[in-house]
Amino acid sequence: MKEVAPTFDIAFNVERGIIELGGRRVVAHCNHYNVYLQRTIEDGLKERAPRLLVAAGMEAARNLLSGVETAAPANSAKESLERAVRIFAEHGFGAFDIAKMGHRGGVATMLRSHYAIGWLSRWGVRSTPGCYFPAGYLAGAVAVAAKVGPERVTATETECHAAGAEHCSFLVEVW
Amino acid sequence: MAVDERIVTEAVAGLELKGNEEGLIPAFGLYLTKHFADYYNRISYGLLGAFIRELPELEEDAIALLTEAGHVCSFHTFGGIMVSVEWDAVVMPMIETREDWVKGMIGVVNALGWGRYRLQELVPNERLVLQMSDSYEAAGVLEGYGKAAHPRCYLASGGAAGLMNLLYQGDITKRPPLTDELYHEVFGHPRSFRARETRCLAMGDSHCEIIVERQHA
């Protein structure tokens, strides 16, 4: 029988207009805002932008997924990663294929990344990979699943649909 | 029948927007994400902080860029919602006046997780005053950087200005195509609306307040 990842609960407080998952705020935004804001950061910070964008993705993922783990602990690192991937997809960022990745690292791919298709539709083809948030999210998910500090995990997008590749590919390393 | 913001909020919250088999959320003519406030706050205030430290003379330019992202957001997200079948089904039956479109949109915003927006004042074609509680931007500043000396809700400010521009400058009630050309025509007009935040949770105020007026009266 296929292993089913544990659940997660999204809470909406209608009085306060707040959505929370894992004790962290969740906010709805569209592809136009997401890629426009990313380009603003890239234009403003130049070569330092990727580091900020990936680190922010990792921090946000660790904050949220740690809270999810606390509320409903996964039975294994594999379960934890599967749930993280499901959260990512249900929140509209794309569907990771992690068949070649585990909590010790590996390669994850994504056919239709929200950021990649958003970038392509607004700005056209990039010269470099542009899925910084997904890369950071993967690193954070692995750190939470493996129960290791963020400094021990890196994730790099090696191919990007927004840069002309067929799909996006991410190399995750744990040391 | 007046617009009941609560009904709108609950209807939008009940749409159960979640990723399809591709992990995408196509809705309102665009792709939505249920994103993480921590991410937006870290990258936005990371950019602003870098400018303040290294190029302080360009701080206002950084703020203008972040606010412009809010304009883009409102044009596409609010605009997309206001011409959607969901809007027609839930909000339109309650709309009697042009100003009801603002009230309906506030009901929608209150389902997006941005905090609770309340309409304080709306002078048709002239002025909008919004009160926000639990702004995710201000809350993120307080948590991550401490009390601020200046207002920090740039997405909310850009969004509020965009709402007035959509309604009174671009006439969204006629459902124009939301093209880049229309965006530049609406937001580039010398009399288009701009917002200023006059109170902010990040500064220690009890709530945030945004005033939207035309650039040149």
Side-chain angles (χ1 to χ4, degrees):
Chain A
M1 177 184 286
K2 187 180 186 312
E3 191 173 277
V4 177
T7 59
F8 55 91
D9 293 320
I10 298 175
F12 176 50
N13 182 327
V14 67
E15 299 301 330
R16 298 178 64 191
I18 285 178
I19 304 169
E20 287 184 316
L21 176 60
R24 306 305 299 174
R25 296 279 294 270
V26 172
V27 292
H29 275 295
C30 76
N31 53 300
H32 295 280
Y33 179 66
N34 288 337
V35 299
Y36 193 94
L37 183 60
Q38 176 172 317
R39 182 158 186 173
T40 298
I41 306 300
E42 292 193 79
D43 288 348
L45 293 182
K46 307 296 184 195
E47 69 276 3
R48 288 184 296 175
R51 195 169 62 189
L52 171 63
L53 292 163
V54 174
M58 184 181 195
E59 180 188 10
R62 285 183 68 242
N63 289 346
L64 187 143
L65 296 173
S66 296
V68 170
E69 281 290 330
T70 301
N75 291 317
S76 65
K78 182 172 184 288
E79 267 196 10
S80 176
L81 265 183
E82 287 177 347
R83 175 167 57 187
V85 167
R86 191 153 57 90
I87 288 171
F88 188 85
E90 290 198 6
H91 284 65
F93 300 114
F96 277 125
D97 180 345
I98 57 167
K100 296 179 180 174
M101 195 194 87
H103 69 284
R104 292 190 176 85
V107 174
T109 57
M110 185 164 36
L111 203 54
R112 298 256 292 158
S113 157
H114 168 88
Y115 273 92
I117 62 175
W119 190 282
L120 279 174
S121 69
R122 185 167 187 91
W123 310 111
V125 177
R126 291 173 58 95
S127 59
T128 58
C131 293
Y132 301 114
F133 171 74
Y137 183 92
L138 266 183
V142 168
V144 170
K147 295 184 169 56
V148 300
E151 70 281 359
R152 292 181 56 192
V153 186
T154 59
T156 308
E157 188 182 25
T158 55
E159 291 182 285
C160 183
H161 183 53
E166 189 175 331
H167 60 261
C168 300
S169 186
F170 303 85
L171 174 64
V172 180
E173 296 174 292
V174 181
W175 59 274
Chain B
M1 179 182 184
V3 170
D4 186 327
E5 291 171 20
R6 177 78 173 225
I7 290 176
V8 176
T9 301
E10 292 182 347
V12 175
L15 288 175
E16 290 195 32
L17 299 167
K18 65 196 301 191
N20 59 20
E21 68 283 353
E22 293 184 308
L24 302 172
I25 307 176
F28 312 119
L30 30 81
Y31 287 108
L32 280 184
T33 53
K34 294 185 285 186
H35 217 311
F36 308 153
D38 288 342
Y39 180 72
Y40 291 123
N41 289 332
R42 190 59 80 196
I43 66 174
S44 298
Y45 303 118
L47 174 76
L48 180 63
F51 272 75
I52 290 173
R53 288 190 306 275
E54 299 164 17
L55 297 165
E57 69 277 13
L58 296 182
E59 178 180 353
E60 289 304 316
D61 295 276
I63 291 171
L65 288 170
L66 294 170
T67 307
E68 177 66 4
H71 292 159
V72 170
C73 170
S74 65
F75 180 76
H76 290 285
T77 307
F78 294 176
I81 289 171
M82 288 192 279
V83 299
S84 70
V85 293
E86 292 88 350
W87 180 271
D88 286 347
V90 175
V91 186
M92 278 305 285
M94 292 187 271
I95 285 183
E96 294 173 345
T97 67
R98 180 179 294 263
E99 286 61 50
D100 284 341
W101 286 67
V102 174
K103 297 171 187 170
M105 199 60 226
I106 289 173
V108 173
V109 169
N110 286 334
L112 301 181
W114 297 6
R116 179 77 188 271
Y117 284 47
R118 291 178 177 84
L119 179 62
Q120 294 296 293
E121 181 186 357
L122 176 57
V123 180
N125 204 18
E126 193 174 312
R127 178 181 164 94
L128 169 69
V129 182
L130 290 176
Q131 178 185 314
M132 297 183 299
S133 53
D134 289 306
S135 152
Y136 78 84
E137 295 175 286
V141 169
L142 280 178
E143 182 182 9
Y145 305 92
K147 194 171 168 182
H150 304 286
R152 287 287 183 253
C153 298
Y154 308 126
L155 175 276
S157 295
L163 180 54
M164 290 293 275
N165 278 327
L166 279 167
L167 198 57
Y168 296 110
Q169 197 67 33
D171 198 357
I172 193 69
T173 67
K174 290 182 178 166
R175 298 165 186 261
L178 297 169
T179 61
D180 283 349
E181 290 73 25
L182 179 64
Y183 177 82
H184 292 298
E185 182 184 323
V186 169
F187 286 81
H189 193 282
R191 293 199 69 239
S192 60
F193 287 91
R194 290 297 183 273
R196 56 194 164 89
E197 191 175 13
T198 48
R199 295 183 185 197
C200 185
L201 187 68
M203 297 167 60
D205 293 321
S206 61
H207 61 273
C208 305
E209 181 183 77
I210 291 173
I211 298 175
V212 184
E213 293 170 316
R214 289 192 180 276
Q215 293 184 87
H216 303 288

